Amino acid sequence: MLFKILDRLKNENFYWNIGFYALIVAGLTHVLFFFLFCFLEIPQLILLNIVSITIYLYCIFGLSLKTLDTKDDSQIGWFVFVELIGHSIIATYYLGLESGFQYYMYTIIFIPFFIWTYTTFVRLLRIIVVITVALGLEYWGYNHPAVLMLSNEYIMFLHYMNLFLLLIIMAFISYFYSIYANMYQNLLFKQSNVDPLTNLYNRRYVHEIAENDAMSFQKNDSHFGLLLIDIDYFKKINDLYGHKCGDRVLIELSHILNQNVRQTTIVSRWGGEEFLIVLEDTNKDELIHLGERLRSVVEKTVLIEEKQIQITVTIGGAVAYQDESIDEVLSRADKALYHGKENGRNQVLIDS
């Protein structure tokens, strides 16, 4: 069963993996407590940890696959929530506040925010319950002695052990949150700014970047240039071989463009079968040289071996004038591209 779960987790994202391993760590921690209380000969807490271990075993082996299938983690969340509260209350009742078992209450303040399927109401309800129980434990602990009296050495050992575990858990939660937030921030960035087919920047994002570059270069009295690249007779490829083949052509062309420019050069999919390259600190001769190199490489490359598909591209370009907007430079590059198409395609024209 364990290997089946681990194999399934290979295809799941970071969230589900970290949740599963957190259950394992929590279960092993209670196994440690079980042996500790056996050593201290406290049967009530031995029984408590047997119950806790059983809960975690059920969550791992009884609910994990179901949770992965339904993507509903609330059931496991409730088991963990109740177990942590119950364990904190009972352990604190028997050993007192100085043992530090009430610390585990503080960790579940954060847990509701990591359960996807909880509503805002449920999150607030759980937080209210945790705060109420935690304050109640503090009040009870200061006004009632521990039911079981252990030596100061054992109590201090338990206190520092639980404090250490609390700090580890808090560090784990903070690390998990930062990784998780960064992962989804990158995902949102990619979804909004990257073309899903070619993995190049999309039109909206590259326009924004080029606009910023235009202002920056003009302040420094330098130049930037654009190359607008269009696949010749692309519609024929789609008509003859189908759109999947056309998509493969776009992907292969994006690889060629990326491999033949500097790493700092921005290559984007401008739309359809058009690509845009933004070059920093360049002049007309350099723009022509790069355009001709790209055109020649594309012309000589077989993009899809089994169908022997080769293409040509027409490239229009422009170097920005002083105080010229990005849209004005784009308009001149587009006009150069249009003239290249009219004059026979498979050529490079740079607007001067």
mmCIF file with all atom_site columns, all heavy atoms in Angstrom, residues 238-260:
data_model
loop_
_atom_site.group_PDB
_atom_site.id
_atom_site.type_symbol
_atom_site.label_atom_id
_atom_site.label_alt_id
_atom_site.label_comp_id
_atom_site.label_asym_id
_atom_site.label_entity_id
_atom_site.label_seq_id
_atom_site.pdbx_PDB_ins_code
_atom_site.Cartn_x
_atom_site.Cartn_y
_atom_site.Cartn_z
_atom_site.occupancy
_atom_site.B_iso_or_equiv
_atom_site.pdbx_formal_charge
_atom_site.auth_seq_id
_atom_site.auth_comp_id
_atom_site.auth_asym_id
_atom_site.auth_atom_id
_atom_site.pdbx_PDB_model_num
ATOM 1   N N   . ASN A 1 238 ? -0.626 23.833 -42.613 1.00 0.00 ? 238 ASN A N   1
ATOM 2   C CA  . ASN A 1 238 ? -1.819 23.389 -41.874 1.00 0.00 ? 238 ASN A CA  1
ATOM 3   C C   . ASN A 1 238 ? -2.796 22.644 -42.776 1.00 0.00 ? 238 ASN A C   1
ATOM 4   O O   . ASN A 1 238 ? -3.378 21.633 -42.377 1.00 0.00 ? 238 ASN A O   1
ATOM 5   C CB  . ASN A 1 238 ? -2.524 24.589 -41.234 1.00 0.00 ? 238 ASN A CB  1
ATOM 6   C CG  . ASN A 1 238 ? -1.822 25.066 -39.975 1.00 0.00 ? 238 ASN A CG  1
ATOM 7   O OD1 . ASN A 1 238 ? -1.226 24.282 -39.253 1.00 0.00 ? 238 ASN A OD1 1
ATOM 8   N ND2 . ASN A 1 238 ? -1.890 26.365 -39.728 1.00 0.00 ? 238 ASN A ND2 1
ATOM 9   N N   . ASP A 1 239 ? -2.972 23.132 -44.000 1.00 0.00 ? 239 ASP A N   1
ATOM 10  C CA  . ASP A 1 239 ? -3.928 22.506 -44.918 1.00 0.00 ? 239 ASP A CA  1
ATOM 11  C C   . ASP A 1 239 ? -3.451 21.131 -45.382 1.00 0.00 ? 239 ASP A C   1
ATOM 12  O O   . ASP A 1 239 ? -4.246 20.191 -45.509 1.00 0.00 ? 239 ASP A O   1
ATOM 13  C CB  . ASP A 1 239 ? -4.154 23.401 -46.140 1.00 0.00 ? 239 ASP A CB  1
ATOM 14  C CG  . ASP A 1 239 ? -4.897 24.688 -45.779 1.00 0.00 ? 239 ASP A CG  1
ATOM 15  O OD1 . ASP A 1 239 ? -5.528 24.715 -44.696 1.00 0.00 ? 239 ASP A OD1 1
ATOM 16  O OD2 . ASP A 1 239 ? -4.825 25.655 -46.562 1.00 0.00 ? 239 ASP A OD2 1
ATOM 17  N N   . LEU A 1 240 ? -2.135 20.997 -45.638 1.00 0.00 ? 240 LEU A N   1
ATOM 18  C CA  . LEU A 1 240 ? -1.603 19.744 -46.161 1.00 0.00 ? 240 LEU A CA  1
ATOM 19  C C   . LEU A 1 240 ? -1.371 18.688 -45.087 1.00 0.00 ? 240 LEU A C   1
ATOM 20  O O   . LEU A 1 240 ? -1.636 17.501 -45.287 1.00 0.00 ? 240 LEU A O   1
ATOM 21  C CB  . LEU A 1 240 ? -0.284 20.012 -46.900 1.00 0.00 ? 240 LEU A CB  1
ATOM 22  C CG  . LEU A 1 240 ? -0.370 20.698 -48.264 1.00 0.00 ? 240 LEU A CG  1
ATOM 23  C CD1 . LEU A 1 240 ? 1.021  21.046 -48.774 1.00 0.00 ? 240 LEU A CD1 1
ATOM 24  C CD2 . LEU A 1 240 ? -1.079 19.785 -49.271 1.00 0.00 ? 240 LEU A CD2 1
ATOM 25  N N   . TYR A 1 241 ? -0.859 19.128 -43.929 1.00 0.00 ? 241 TYR A N   1
ATOM 26  C CA  . TYR A 1 241 ? -0.419 18.180 -42.909 1.00 0.00 ? 241 TYR A CA  1
ATOM 27  C C   . TYR A 1 241 ? -1.247 18.216 -41.622 1.00 0.00 ? 241 TYR A C   1
ATOM 28  O O   . TYR A 1 241 ? -1.071 17.373 -40.740 1.00 0.00 ? 241 TYR A O   1
ATOM 29  C CB  . TYR A 1 241 ? 1.051  18.428 -42.551 1.00 0.00 ? 241 TYR A CB  1
ATOM 30  C CG  . TYR A 1 241 ? 1.970  18.345 -43.741 1.00 0.00 ? 241 TYR A CG  1
ATOM 31  C CD1 . TYR A 1 241 ? 2.494  19.506 -44.317 1.00 0.00 ? 241 TYR A CD1 1
ATOM 32  C CD2 . TYR A 1 241 ? 2.331  17.117 -44.295 1.00 0.00 ? 241 TYR A CD2 1
ATOM 33  C CE1 . TYR A 1 241 ? 3.353  19.438 -45.423 1.00 0.00 ? 241 TYR A CE1 1
ATOM 34  C CE2 . TYR A 1 241 ? 3.187  17.040 -45.391 1.00 0.00 ? 241 TYR A CE2 1
ATOM 35  C CZ  . TYR A 1 241 ? 3.691  18.210 -45.940 1.00 0.00 ? 241 TYR A CZ  1
ATOM 36  O OH  . TYR A 1 241 ? 4.528  18.124 -47.019 1.00 0.00 ? 241 TYR A OH  1
ATOM 37  N N   . GLY A 1 242 ? -2.103 19.218 -41.471 1.00 0.00 ? 242 GLY A N   1
ATOM 38  C CA  . GLY A 1 242 ? -2.918 19.311 -40.264 1.00 0.00 ? 242 GLY A CA  1
ATOM 39  C C   . GLY A 1 242 ? -2.342 20.286 -39.248 1.00 0.00 ? 242 GLY A C   1
ATOM 40  O O   . GLY A 1 242 ? -1.159 20.648 -39.294 1.00 0.00 ? 242 GLY A O   1
ATOM 41  N N   . HIS A 1 243 ? -3.195 20.683 -38.328 1.00 0.00 ? 243 HIS A N   1
ATOM 42  C CA  . HIS A 1 243 ? -2.784 21.707 -37.352 1.00 0.00 ? 243 HIS A CA  1
ATOM 43  C C   . HIS A 1 243 ? -1.760 21.185 -36.331 1.00 0.00 ? 243 HIS A C   1
ATOM 44  O O   . HIS A 1 243 ? -0.952 21.957 -35.827 1.00 0.00 ? 243 HIS A O   1
ATOM 45  C CB  . HIS A 1 243 ? -4.022 22.250 -36.627 1.00 0.00 ? 243 HIS A CB  1
ATOM 46  C CG  . HIS A 1 243 ? -4.864 23.128 -37.496 1.00 0.00 ? 243 HIS A CG  1
ATOM 47  N ND1 . HIS A 1 243 ? -4.557 24.443 -37.752 1.00 0.00 ? 243 HIS A ND1 1
ATOM 48  C CD2 . HIS A 1 243 ? -5.999 22.868 -38.206 1.00 0.00 ? 243 HIS A CD2 1
ATOM 49  C CE1 . HIS A 1 243 ? -5.462 24.971 -38.564 1.00 0.00 ? 243 HIS A CE1 1
ATOM 50  N NE2 . HIS A 1 243 ? -6.356 24.034 -38.854 1.00 0.00 ? 243 HIS A NE2 1
ATOM 51  N N   . LYS A 1 244 ? -1.790 19.890 -36.033 1.00 0.00 ? 244 LYS A N   1
ATOM 52  C CA  . LYS A 1 244 ? -0.790 19.348 -35.099 1.00 0.00 ? 244 LYS A CA  1
ATOM 53  C C   . LYS A 1 244 ? 0.609  19.475 -35.695 1.00 0.00 ? 244 LYS A C   1
ATOM 54  O O   . LYS A 1 244 ? 1.571  19.795 -34.984 1.00 0.00 ? 244 LYS A O   1
ATOM 55  C CB  . LYS A 1 244 ? -1.108 17.888 -34.777 1.00 0.00 ? 244 LYS A CB  1
ATOM 56  C CG  . LYS A 1 244 ? -2.274 17.705 -33.833 1.00 0.00 ? 244 LYS A CG  1
ATOM 57  C CD  . LYS A 1 244 ? -2.418 16.246 -33.411 1.00 0.00 ? 244 LYS A CD  1
ATOM 58  C CE  . LYS A 1 244 ? -3.563 16.095 -32.417 1.00 0.00 ? 244 LYS A CE  1
ATOM 59  N NZ  . LYS A 1 244 ? -3.733 14.671 -31.991 1.00 0.00 ? 244 LYS A NZ  1
ATOM 60  N N   . CYS A 1 245 ? 0.700  19.215 -36.974 1.00 0.00 ? 245 CYS A N   1
ATOM 61  C CA  . CYS A 1 245 ? 1.986  19.374 -37.658 1.00 0.00 ? 245 CYS A CA  1
ATOM 62  C C   . CYS A 1 245 ? 2.376  20.850 -37.687 1.00 0.00 ? 245 CYS A C   1
ATOM 63  O O   . CYS A 1 245 ? 3.547  21.195 -37.500 1.00 0.00 ? 245 CYS A O   1
ATOM 64  C CB  . CYS A 1 245 ? 1.879  18.817 -39.074 1.00 0.00 ? 245 CYS A CB  1
ATOM 65  S SG  . CYS A 1 245 ? 3.457  18.678 -39.917 1.00 0.00 ? 245 CYS A SG  1
ATOM 66  N N   . GLY A 1 246 ? 1.393  21.713 -37.907 1.00 0.00 ? 246 GLY A N   1
ATOM 67  C CA  . GLY A 1 246 ? 1.669  23.150 -37.871 1.00 0.00 ? 246 GLY A CA  1
ATOM 68  C C   . GLY A 1 246 ? 2.179  23.588 -36.516 1.00 0.00 ? 246 GLY A C   1
ATOM 69  O O   . GLY A 1 246 ? 3.104  24.416 -36.417 1.00 0.00 ? 246 GLY A O   1
ATOM 70  N N   . ASP A 1 247 ? 1.613  23.025 -35.459 1.00 0.00 ? 247 ASP A N   1
ATOM 71  C CA  . ASP A 1 247 ? 2.090  23.342 -34.102 1.00 0.00 ? 247 ASP A CA  1
ATOM 72  C C   . ASP A 1 247 ? 3.531  22.903 -33.908 1.00 0.00 ? 247 ASP A C   1
ATOM 73  O O   . ASP A 1 247 ? 4.333  23.602 -33.293 1.00 0.00 ? 247 ASP A O   1
ATOM 74  C CB  . ASP A 1 247 ? 1.201  22.665 -33.056 1.00 0.00 ? 247 ASP A CB  1
ATOM 75  C CG  . ASP A 1 247 ? -0.169 23.322 -32.939 1.00 0.00 ? 247 ASP A CG  1
ATOM 76  O OD1 . ASP A 1 247 ? -0.328 24.447 -33.460 1.00 0.00 ? 247 ASP A OD1 1
ATOM 77  O OD2 . ASP A 1 247 ? -1.065 22.717 -32.321 1.00 0.00 ? 247 ASP A OD2 1
ATOM 78  N N   . ARG A 1 248 ? 3.862  21.721 -34.445 1.00 0.00 ? 248 ARG A N   1
ATOM 79  C CA  . ARG A 1 248 ? 5.247  21.250 -34.332 1.00 0.00 ? 248 ARG A CA  1
ATOM 80  C C   . ARG A 1 248 ? 6.217  22.176 -35.061 1.00 0.00 ? 248 ARG A C   1
ATOM 81  O O   . ARG A 1 248 ? 7.345  22.402 -34.604 1.00 0.00 ? 248 ARG A O   1
ATOM 82  C CB  . ARG A 1 248 ? 5.360  19.830 -34.891 1.00 0.00 ? 248 ARG A CB  1
ATOM 83  C CG  . ARG A 1 248 ? 4.757  18.755 -33.986 1.00 0.00 ? 248 ARG A CG  1
ATOM 84  C CD  . ARG A 1 248 ? 4.930  17.379 -34.581 1.00 0.00 ? 248 ARG A CD  1
ATOM 85  N NE  . ARG A 1 248 ? 6.339  17.025 -34.732 1.00 0.00 ? 248 ARG A NE  1
ATOM 86  C CZ  . ARG A 1 248 ? 6.760  15.935 -35.373 1.00 0.00 ? 248 ARG A CZ  1
ATOM 87  N NH1 . ARG A 1 248 ? 5.873  15.118 -35.953 1.00 0.00 ? 248 ARG A NH1 1
ATOM 88  N NH2 . ARG A 1 248 ? 8.059  15.674 -35.463 1.00 0.00 ? 248 ARG A NH2 1
ATOM 89  N N   . VAL A 1 249 ? 5.791  22.715 -36.184 1.00 0.00 ? 249 VAL A N   1
ATOM 90  C CA  . VAL A 1 249 ? 6.632  23.664 -36.934 1.00 0.00 ? 249 VAL A CA  1
ATOM 91  C C   . VAL A 1 249 ? 6.890  24.910 -36.078 1.00 0.00 ? 249 VAL A C   1
ATOM 92  O O   . VAL A 1 249 ? 8.022  25.408 -36.004 1.00 0.00 ? 249 VAL A O   1
ATOM 93  C CB  . VAL A 1 249 ? 5.955  24.039 -38.272 1.00 0.00 ? 249 VAL A CB  1
ATOM 94  C CG1 . VAL A 1 249 ? 6.650  25.247 -38.900 1.00 0.00 ? 249 VAL A CG1 1
ATOM 95  C CG2 . VAL A 1 249 ? 5.970  22.860 -39.227 1.00 0.00 ? 249 VAL A CG2 1
ATOM 96  N N   . LEU A 1 250 ? 5.840  25.412 -35.431 1.00 0.00 ? 250 LEU A N   1
ATOM 97  C CA  . LEU A 1 250 ? 5.989  26.587 -34.571 1.00 0.00 ? 250 LEU A CA  1
ATOM 98  C C   . LEU A 1 250 ? 6.950  26.307 -33.414 1.00 0.00 ? 250 LEU A C   1
ATOM 99  O O   . LEU A 1 250 ? 7.779  27.151 -33.056 1.00 0.00 ? 250 LEU A O   1
ATOM 100 C CB  . LEU A 1 250 ? 4.624  27.016 -34.031 1.00 0.00 ? 250 LEU A CB  1
ATOM 101 C CG  . LEU A 1 250 ? 3.615  27.539 -35.054 1.00 0.00 ? 250 LEU A CG  1
ATOM 102 C CD1 . LEU A 1 250 ? 2.251  27.734 -34.404 1.00 0.00 ? 250 LEU A CD1 1
ATOM 103 C CD2 . LEU A 1 250 ? 4.106  28.855 -35.665 1.00 0.00 ? 250 LEU A CD2 1
ATOM 104 N N   . ILE A 1 251 ? 6.833  25.118 -32.829 1.00 0.00 ? 251 ILE A N   1
ATOM 105 C CA  . ILE A 1 251 ? 7.709  24.746 -31.704 1.00 0.00 ? 251 ILE A CA  1
ATOM 106 C C   . ILE A 1 251 ? 9.157  24.652 -32.163 1.00 0.00 ? 251 ILE A C   1
ATOM 107 O O   . ILE A 1 251 ? 10.069 25.177 -31.513 1.00 0.00 ? 251 ILE A O   1
ATOM 108 C CB  . ILE A 1 251 ? 7.236  23.408 -31.089 1.00 0.00 ? 251 ILE A CB  1
ATOM 109 C CG1 . ILE A 1 251 ? 5.877  23.589 -30.401 1.00 0.00 ? 251 ILE A CG1 1
ATOM 110 C CG2 . ILE A 1 251 ? 8.258  22.896 -30.080 1.00 0.00 ? 251 ILE A CG2 1
ATOM 111 C CD1 . ILE A 1 251 ? 5.204  22.284 -30.017 1.00 0.00 ? 251 ILE A CD1 1
ATOM 112 N N   . GLU A 1 252 ? 9.381  23.984 -33.307 1.00 0.00 ? 252 GLU A N   1
ATOM 113 C CA  . GLU A 1 252 ? 10.760 23.823 -33.818 1.00 0.00 ? 252 GLU A CA  1
ATOM 114 C C   . GLU A 1 252 ? 11.364 25.175 -34.193 1.00 0.00 ? 252 GLU A C   1
ATOM 115 O O   . GLU A 1 252 ? 12.547 25.432 -33.939 1.00 0.00 ? 252 GLU A O   1
ATOM 116 C CB  . GLU A 1 252 ? 10.764 22.877 -35.022 1.00 0.00 ? 252 GLU A CB  1
ATOM 117 C CG  . GLU A 1 252 ? 10.429 21.433 -34.695 1.00 0.00 ? 252 GLU A CG  1
ATOM 118 C CD  . GLU A 1 252 ? 11.382 20.841 -33.677 1.00 0.00 ? 252 GLU A CD  1
ATOM 119 O OE1 . GLU A 1 252 ? 12.587 21.136 -33.747 1.00 0.00 ? 252 GLU A OE1 1
ATOM 120 O OE2 . GLU A 1 252 ? 10.900 20.092 -32.792 1.00 0.00 ? 252 GLU A OE2 1
ATOM 121 N N   . LEU A 1 253 ? 10.568 26.043 -34.782 1.00 0.00 ? 253 LEU A N   1
ATOM 122 C CA  . LEU A 1 253 ? 11.073 27.363 -35.145 1.00 0.00 ? 253 LEU A CA  1
ATOM 123 C C   . LEU A 1 253 ? 11.438 28.157 -33.893 1.00 0.00 ? 253 LEU A C   1
ATOM 124 O O   . LEU A 1 253 ? 12.466 28.866 -33.878 1.00 0.00 ? 253 LEU A O   1
ATOM 125 C CB  . LEU A 1 253 ? 10.035 28.127 -35.965 1.00 0.00 ? 253 LEU A CB  1
ATOM 126 C CG  . LEU A 1 253 ? 10.428 29.558 -36.362 1.00 0.00 ? 253 LEU A CG  1
ATOM 127 C CD1 . LEU A 1 253 ? 11.724 29.565 -37.156 1.00 0.00 ? 253 LEU A CD1 1
ATOM 128 C CD2 . LEU A 1 253 ? 9.311  30.239 -37.145 1.00 0.00 ? 253 LEU A CD2 1
ATOM 129 N N   . SER A 1 254 ? 10.641 28.042 -32.837 1.00 0.00 ? 254 SER A N   1
ATOM 130 C CA  . SER A 1 254 ? 10.947 28.761 -31.599 1.00 0.00 ? 254 SER A CA  1
ATOM 131 C C   . SER A 1 254 ? 12.286 28.293 -31.028 1.00 0.00 ? 254 SER A C   1
ATOM 132 O O   . SER A 1 254 ? 13.068 29.097 -30.507 1.00 0.00 ? 254 SER A O   1
ATOM 133 C CB  . SER A 1 254 ? 9.830  28.567 -30.576 1.00 0.00 ? 254 SER A CB  1
ATOM 134 O OG  . SER A 1 254 ? 9.784  27.243 -30.091 1.00 0.00 ? 254 SER A OG  1
ATOM 135 N N   . HIS A 1 255 ? 12.581 26.980 -31.153 1.00 0.00 ? 255 HIS A N   1
ATOM 136 C CA  . HIS A 1 255 ? 13.871 26.457 -30.691 1.00 0.00 ? 255 HIS A CA  1
ATOM 137 C C   . HIS A 1 255 ? 15.019 27.044 -31.520 1.00 0.00 ? 255 HIS A C   1
ATOM 138 O O   . HIS A 1 255 ? 16.070 27.420 -30.962 1.00 0.00 ? 255 HIS A O   1
ATOM 139 C CB  . HIS A 1 255 ? 13.889 24.930 -30.804 1.00 0.00 ? 255 HIS A CB  1
ATOM 140 C CG  . HIS A 1 255 ? 12.964 24.261 -29.841 1.00 0.00 ? 255 HIS A CG  1
ATOM 141 N ND1 . HIS A 1 255 ? 12.536 22.965 -29.986 1.00 0.00 ? 255 HIS A ND1 1
ATOM 142 C CD2 . HIS A 1 255 ? 12.365 24.717 -28.705 1.00 0.00 ? 255 HIS A CD2 1
ATOM 143 C CE1 . HIS A 1 255 ? 11.725 22.642 -29.001 1.00 0.00 ? 255 HIS A CE1 1
ATOM 144 N NE2 . HIS A 1 255 ? 11.597 23.697 -28.208 1.00 0.00 ? 255 HIS A NE2 1
ATOM 145 N N   . ILE A 1 256 ? 14.844 27.100 -32.826 1.00 0.00 ? 256 ILE A N   1
ATOM 146 C CA  . ILE A 1 256 ? 15.884 27.652 -33.703 1.00 0.00 ? 256 ILE A CA  1
ATOM 147 C C   . ILE A 1 256 ? 16.178 29.109 -33.344 1.00 0.00 ? 256 ILE A C   1
ATOM 148 O O   . ILE A 1 256 ? 17.342 29.525 -33.245 1.00 0.00 ? 256 ILE A O   1
ATOM 149 C CB  . ILE A 1 256 ? 15.461 27.538 -35.176 1.00 0.00 ? 256 ILE A CB  1
ATOM 150 C CG1 . ILE A 1 256 ? 15.437 26.076 -35.610 1.00 0.00 ? 256 ILE A CG1 1
ATOM 151 C CG2 . ILE A 1 256 ? 16.392 28.347 -36.079 1.00 0.00 ? 256 ILE A CG2 1
ATOM 152 C CD1 . ILE A 1 256 ? 14.889 25.846 -37.009 1.00 0.00 ? 256 ILE A CD1 1
ATOM 153 N N   . LEU A 1 257 ? 15.128 29.880 -33.154 1.00 0.00 ? 257 LEU A N   1
ATOM 154 C CA  . LEU A 1 257 ? 15.314 31.295 -32.830 1.00 0.00 ? 257 LEU A CA  1
ATOM 155 C C   . LEU A 1 257 ? 16.049 31.459 -31.497 1.00 0.00 ? 257 LEU A C   1
ATOM 156 O O   . LEU A 1 257 ? 16.974 32.265 -31.386 1.00 0.00 ? 257 LEU A O   1
ATOM 157 C CB  . LEU A 1 257 ? 13.961 32.003 -32.770 1.00 0.00 ? 257 LEU A CB  1
ATOM 158 C CG  . LEU A 1 257 ? 13.151 32.027 -34.080 1.00 0.00 ? 257 LEU A CG  1
ATOM 159 C CD1 . LEU A 1 257 ? 11.820 32.728 -33.861 1.00 0.00 ? 257 LEU A CD1 1
ATOM 160 C CD2 . LEU A 1 257 ? 13.944 32.703 -35.196 1.00 0.00 ? 257 LEU A CD2 1
ATOM 161 N N   . ASN A 1 258 ? 15.644 30.679 -30.497 1.00 0.00 ? 258 ASN A N   1
ATOM 162 C CA  . ASN A 1 258 ? 16.288 30.768 -29.183 1.00 0.00 ? 258 ASN A CA  1
ATOM 163 C C   . ASN A 1 258 ? 17.757 30.367 -29.242 1.00 0.00 ? 258 ASN A C   1
ATOM 164 O O   . ASN A 1 258 ? 18.597 30.949 -28.547 1.00 0.00 ? 258 ASN A O   1
ATOM 165 C CB  . ASN A 1 258 ? 15.553 29.883 -28.171 1.00 0.00 ? 258 ASN A CB  1
ATOM 166 C CG  . ASN A 1 258 ? 14.564 30.676 -27.331 1.00 0.00 ? 258 ASN A CG  1
ATOM 167 O OD1 . ASN A 1 258 ? 14.783 31.848 -27.039 1.00 0.00 ? 258 ASN A OD1 1
ATOM 168 N ND2 . ASN A 1 258 ? 13.471 30.044 -26.945 1.00 0.00 ? 258 ASN A ND2 1
ATOM 169 N N   . GLN A 1 259 ? 18.059 29.357 -30.038 1.00 0.00 ? 259 GLN A N   1
ATOM 170 C CA  . GLN A 1 259 ? 19.428 28.840 -30.105 1.00 0.00 ? 259 GLN A CA  1
ATOM 171 C C   . GLN A 1 259 ? 20.379 29.745 -30.882 1.00 0.00 ? 259 GLN A C   1
ATOM 172 O O   . GLN A 1 259 ? 21.594 29.581 -30.793 1.00 0.00 ? 259 GLN A O   1
ATOM 173 C CB  . GLN A 1 259 ? 19.420 27.439 -30.724 1.00 0.00 ? 259 GLN A CB  1
ATOM 174 C CG  . GLN A 1 259 ? 18.795 26.386 -29.831 1.00 0.00 ? 259 GLN A CG  1
ATOM 175 C CD  . GLN A 1 259 ? 18.494 25.093 -30.580 1.00 0.00 ? 259 GLN A CD  1
ATOM 176 O OE1 . GLN A 1 259 ? 18.798 24.961 -31.777 1.00 0.00 ? 259 GLN A OE1 1
ATOM 177 N NE2 . GLN A 1 259 ? 17.884 24.128 -29.893 1.00 0.00 ? 259 GLN A NE2 1
ATOM 178 N N   . ASN A 1 260 ? 19.841 30.684 -31.644 1.00 0.00 ? 260 ASN A N   1
ATOM 179 C CA  . ASN A 1 260 ? 20.691 31.508 -32.503 1.00 0.00 ? 260 ASN A CA  1
ATOM 180 C C   . ASN A 1 260 ? 20.707 32.981 -32.120 1.00 0.00 ? 260 ASN A C   1
ATOM 181 O O   . ASN A 1 260 ? 21.076 33.833 -32.928 1.00 0.00 ? 260 ASN A O   1
ATOM 182 C CB  . ASN A 1 260 ? 20.243 31.348 -33.963 1.00 0.00 ? 260 ASN A CB  1
ATOM 183 C CG  . ASN A 1 260 ? 20.635 30.007 -34.549 1.00 0.00 ? 260 ASN A CG  1
ATOM 184 O OD1 . ASN A 1 260 ? 21.755 29.824 -35.016 1.00 0.00 ? 260 ASN A OD1 1
ATOM 185 N ND2 . ASN A 1 260 ? 19.709 29.049 -34.487 1.00 0.00 ? 260 ASN A ND2 1
#
